[in-house]
Amino acid sequence: MTASWGLQPAPKKTRGPRFWIALAVAVVVLILLLIAAPVVVAFLAVLALVFALVVLLIGRGRWARIPHRKAAAGVAGGALVLIVVAASLTGPSETATTPAADAAAQETPAPSAEPELASFVGEACEGDQLVMTQDGESNYCDANEGGSFVWVAAADHEKSEAAVVALASQQAADQAKAQKAAAAKAAAEAKQAARDKAAAKVKAEKAAAEKKAVEQAQAKRAAQQESARKAQAAQATRDAERKAAEKASAVRKQSYVAQPVVPQKPASTSAYYKNCTAVRAAGADPIHVGDPGYSRKLDRDGDGVGCE
């Protein structure tokens, strides 16, 4: 069994969009170089033509990026076209002057002398900040009294500028003076306001002190009156107690006198009190006639009740 080998043609290499984009960019760059520097393009075209002729002679030129003679022929043709185009674009830049032109230039009359600056004084001009100069002298475009712009001589311009500067200085001085006067007036008003405030404060403090003194005096009088009232009440109470005691004592005396004398019982031998302090210590006060421990020395007023 024999094996058969089939030979197929190599696939054809297609050129993608990148190739055409690069080609378009190269064409645009070449056109720009032809317009801007045709001499440079002509020089490069001559080099390309030399490389192409060398490849045509030796048959190959990979060192020059030209793979074969067909490509070298294309490069040579393109180089010739570029040389011709560059040569047509690089012509003489200036034309030589002819004797007739020189004669016409010589026969042209010289311009007349310029008018003097003084002749322009008083004429209208376009606007401020304009200067006309001739032979070291100048005219200035200034506004007149009517508000229109006219040419004036340098001396008048300087006088006008000096007047403007003087007016501005006077206005600045007046403004500074007015500001100073206003500041002095404000300072005086502030000082007066401070004095008024201090006086009002002193007056308020004095009124508060007087009010406090009046309140303290009133409180003192009220305390004195209350103390007197309490003293009077205490005195009345003492007087009432004294009168009640006197009345009770009188009643006791009357009852003591009216009642028959009760014979005293013999003191109980079970109790003996040295004085009223001992009676009170024993809790037996008041002690009556017939009670254990009663004695006449404990009943000083003799009403039958001791240690009252």
Side-chain angles (χ1 to χ4, degrees), residues 8-80:
Q8 297 180 357
K12 187 177 182 180
K13 187 177 181 181
T14 59
R15 294 174 180 176
R18 292 185 180 179
F19 171 79
W20 299 109
I21 292 173
L23 181 61
V25 172
V27 171
V28 172
V29 173
L30 184 60
I31 293 173
L32 293 176
L33 286 174
L34 283 172
I35 296 172
V39 176
V40 176
V41 176
F43 177 73
L44 295 176
V46 170
L47 290 179
L49 179 61
V50 171
F51 290 156
L53 293 176
V54 172
V55 173
L56 286 174
L57 291 175
I58 63 177
R60 58 182 178 178
R62 294 184 179 275
W63 52 271
R65 299 293 180 180
I66 302 175
H68 43 73
R69 289 180 177 177
K70 186 177 181 180
V75 171
L80 289 174

Side-chain angles (χ1 to χ4, degrees), residues 9 102 130 237 294:
D102 294 338
L130 295 180
T237 302
Y294 175 84

